[in-house]
Amino acid sequence: MRRQGWMAAPLAGMLALTAVVAGCGSKGTGETAKIRLGEVTRSIFYAPEYVAASKGFFKEEGLDVELTTTSGGDKTMTTLLSGGIDVALVGSETSIYVAQQGSDDPVINFMQLTQTDGTFLVSRKPIPGTFDWNALKGSTFLGQRKGGMPQMAGEFTLKKHGINPQKDLNLIQTVEFANIPTAFASGTGEYVQLFEPQATMFEKQGKGYVVASFGVESGHLPYTVFMAKKSFMDKNPGTVQKFANAIQKAQNWVQRSSVEEIADAITPFFQDTDKAVIQGVVKRYKDQGSFATDGIIDDTEWNNLQDVMETAGELKKRVDAKQLVDNRYAEKAKQNVK
């Protein structure tokens, strides 16, 4: 079992990108509530979050959202627990890790953003036809860091296909998350588990080929969720509801809109990424249903998350959804926002 020592990680030196993504008050009220939002990474995978900002949905709800991008779930959660941010966008597993350590002020999941894993299996060589997972046996596989949701979803998928990651592969998990694409491009591994946009960029450059989706293979789960400390939610229920409303507006808009429209809306957040790549990534995620259509975390998804964690040996004890999930805000947003 991995030791969860990340809670003591120092905040000093944290790399962060901060942007005020919504200013001014809501129309007609003149009242503005500020939310400090921290996202675990900057990713096209989180398209509805950026849509909420660029299309003015936060502003319509009377919210001034300050967005900070931090490097990794541990730093994001440490910042939330220490009061550096009010709301975190991070994997649900982090709230379970906090609960496993014991907390008088638990972290509550209140609005789901993505409902599948966001990584893809990339081969160094093109593989025609349907991919045979048995082809991985005996290969050098460049995986994600241990204990993170991508790695757990990856191992869950491999074991589903009869592959023991520790015995059947030459598994490499020592490369830092940000350096995995570079390591593969420089010749490490025959296969790699990659997020977008690196997977699409590698395909365009002829450096790798997407052969399977871990998101499709591992099923629906609360992969990336907005969460906050219970004390913050108890003190600011109206603000939390406004936030949920804005995200639901964005989720509705993403479902109704074309790939091109979504790409246009989020491009300001990815100015260094080619528009064609953004469109390709949005299409891939939209086609496989990665963007949640509402913020509700149902029991099936929650249980699948814990199945994935158990398979990876990262769950000490199963946690009832009622302890760490509060769907009231998402349910009200789904009911009222059209």
Side-chain angles (χ1 to χ4, degrees), residues 115-116 120 213 216 220 254-255 259 262 279-291:
Q115 60 186 8
T116 73
F120 297 87
S213 166
V216 171
H220 280 196
V254 166
Q255 292 303 309
V259 166
I262 298 168
Q279 291 179 349
V281 175
V282 169
K283 184 178 189 308
R284 182 166 274 159
Y285 281 137
K286 194 174 187 191
D287 286 350
Q288 71 177 31
S290 289
F291 303 133

Side-chain angles (χ1 to χ4, degrees), residues 270-281:
F270 302 93
Q271 295 184 358
D272 295 331
T273 304
D274 183 80
K275 176 66 76 69
V277 171
I278 296 175
Q279 291 179 349
V281 175

Side-chain angles (χ1 to χ4, degrees), residues 78 81 96 118 120 123 165 195 215 274 280 327 330 334:
T78 301
L81 294 173
I96 295 177
F120 297 87
S123 169
F195 269 102
D274 183 80
N327 279 322
K334 182 178 181 180

Side-chain angles (χ1 to χ4, degrees), residues 148 199 256 298 335:
R256 293 193 300 260
D298 62 42
Q335 178 180 358

Side-chain angles (χ1 to χ4, degrees), residues 8-66:
L11 293 176
M14 181 184 301
L15 297 176
L17 171 63
T18 302
V20 177
V21 298
C24 304
S26 61
K27 297 178 181 179
T29 67
E31 298 178 356
T32 302
K34 183 172 182 177
I35 287 185
R36 298 168 300 163
L37 169 62
E39 59 178 4
V40 65
T41 189
R42 178 59 54 90
S43 175
I44 298 169
F45 193 39
Y46 308 149
E49 176 191 43
Y50 311 123
V51 166
S54 67
K55 303 303 290 186
F57 299 143
F58 285 136
K59 182 178 177 180
E60 287 178 6
E61 290 294 326
L63 297 177
D64 178 1
V65 176
E66 182 183 274

